[in-house]
Amino acid sequence: MKKLISFLFISLLMIGCSSNNSNKDKLRVATEGTYNPFSYHDESGKLVGYDVEVITEAAKRAGFEIEFHETNWDAIFSGLNSNRFDMIANQISDADPKRAELYTFSDPYIVTSAAVAVRANDNSINSLSDIKGKNIAQAMGSNYYEIAIENGANIVLVDGLAPAIKAVSQGRADATMNDKLAILNYIKTTGDKNIKIAFDTGDGTRSVFLFKKELTEQRDRINKALESMKKDGTLKQISEKYFGIDVSE
């Protein structure tokens, strides 16, 4: 009887350890699911996109079980803060010093630049100084939102890129700022001829995966996977699939 009790105790202990290990190796990844071409749904309804594909492959190589959680941009950081997610894969810029204090960044996996989109017949905005006093459509809390505020713009709040560009196209806003690749992709896929890129900042912006502050071990494993993806050409291959060029360097 004692042997049976001992066996059952050890078995339960092993199950508990196995369960803990499983939880430890799971990554709960927050993403919008509406931000084409980085995180969106294809015609079949499947979650796809550059960020989705990169983090899926990196997690696989790092030995993580990945679990996507789709959420609006304005709730993505609060969800991370409240422990609903472990990390964010949604083209997060590393340029915000406040984020660097609060969270842990992966190595960059995208290098691109910011751009400003306006109506095709609008020639009044040609630099950041020109957005002062203009109505700029931005999602609250984004890096582009902060840049627009810093340059004196009046903010028209929207939920993401597509609503922002629609606001500009329909005359409810004068312009919007976002990633150049995302804007070009939107114009290409929608065929909206009422929108053009007025200018880009020319400054390279780097996108990173953003982790909860204490998850440095998970960050390091993902970094190692990203490095292997660069070396064997996988990251370049995914870049060319979505953009036609290598945006990883």
Side-chain angles (χ1 to χ4, degrees):
M1 186 66 178
K2 289 183 179 180
K3 289 182 178 180
L4 178 60
I5 293 173
S6 297
F7 175 76
L8 290 173
F9 176 77
I10 292 171
S11 298
L12 289 171
L13 184 63
M14 290 178 67
I15 291 172
C17 290
S18 174
S19 176
N20 288 339
N21 288 335
S22 176
N23 290 336
K24 181 181 179 181
D25 289 333
K26 179 180 288 185
L27 273 182
R28 298 168 300 165
V29 181
T31 193
E32 281 184 278
T34 57
Y35 188 26
N36 191 339
F38 303 101
S39 170
Y40 65 102
H41 290 265
D42 63 15
E43 293 179 354
S44 71
K46 181 182 178 182
L47 180 66
V48 296
Y50 181 74
D51 284 42
V52 171
E53 202 161 320
V54 171
I55 192 57
T56 298
E57 177 63 22
K60 179 181 177 181
R61 296 187 184 202
F64 290 113
E65 177 188 347
I66 200 166
E67 183 179 283
F68 284 107
H69 294 260
E70 295 179 50
T71 186
N72 292 335
W73 172 260
D74 57 6
I76 207 164
F77 288 97
S78 60
L80 191 66
N81 297 339
S82 62
N83 198 36
R84 289 176 56 208
F85 322 124
D86 300 311
M87 62 170 293
I88 300 172
N90 206 82
Q91 208 207 10
I92 304 294
S93 168
D94 70 350
D96 189 337
K98 294 179 182 177
R99 289 178 188 164
E101 293 177 4
L102 296 172
Y103 308 105
T104 294
F105 292 169
S106 75
D107 292 335
Y109 62 96
I110 298 177
V111 179
T112 182
S113 61
V116 172
V118 299
R119 286 185 294 281
N121 61 355
D122 186 350
N123 297 312
S124 66
I125 299 177
N126 299 292
S127 67
L128 283 177
S129 61
D130 293 332
I131 71 173
K132 183 177 182 180
K134 298 284 190 178
N135 295 323
I136 309 299
Q138 300 297 154
M140 182 177 289
S142 71
N143 191 49
Y144 308 113
Y145 172 94
E146 299 297 337
I147 294 173
I149 289 289
E150 290 169 4
N151 285 274
N154 301 318
I155 301 297
V156 177
L157 285 176
V158 291
D159 290 334
L161 175 65
I165 294 183
K166 286 180 181 178
V168 176
S169 181
Q170 296 169 0
R172 292 181 287 110
D174 299 309
T176 186
M177 183 183 302
N178 211 297
D179 179 83
K180 184 177 181 179
L181 293 172
I183 295 173
L184 288 173
N185 180 267
Y186 179 91
I187 294 172
K188 177 182 177 182
T189 55
T190 63
D192 190 343
K193 296 181 179 179
N194 197 35
I195 292 293
K196 68 177 182 181
I197 290 181
F199 68 93
D200 63 64
T201 63
D203 299 323
T205 58
R206 307 188 307 174
S207 296
V208 296
F209 296 125
L210 188 146
F211 294 78
K212 290 166 59 180
K213 189 69 174 180
E214 68 272 18
L215 299 185
T216 55
E217 187 259 343
Q218 288 86 340
R219 183 272 318 273
D220 290 344
R221 287 166 64 180
I222 291 296
N223 279 346
K224 185 176 180 181
L226 288 173
E227 182 61 29
S228 73
M229 291 168 67
K230 286 183 179 181
K231 287 182 177 179
D232 67 16
T234 301
L235 204 54
K236 179 181 179 181
Q237 184 179 12
I238 298 173
S239 292
E240 291 177 341
K241 173 183 175 179
Y242 285 95
F243 306 109
I245 58 172
D246 185 5
V247 300
S248 63
E249 295 183 320

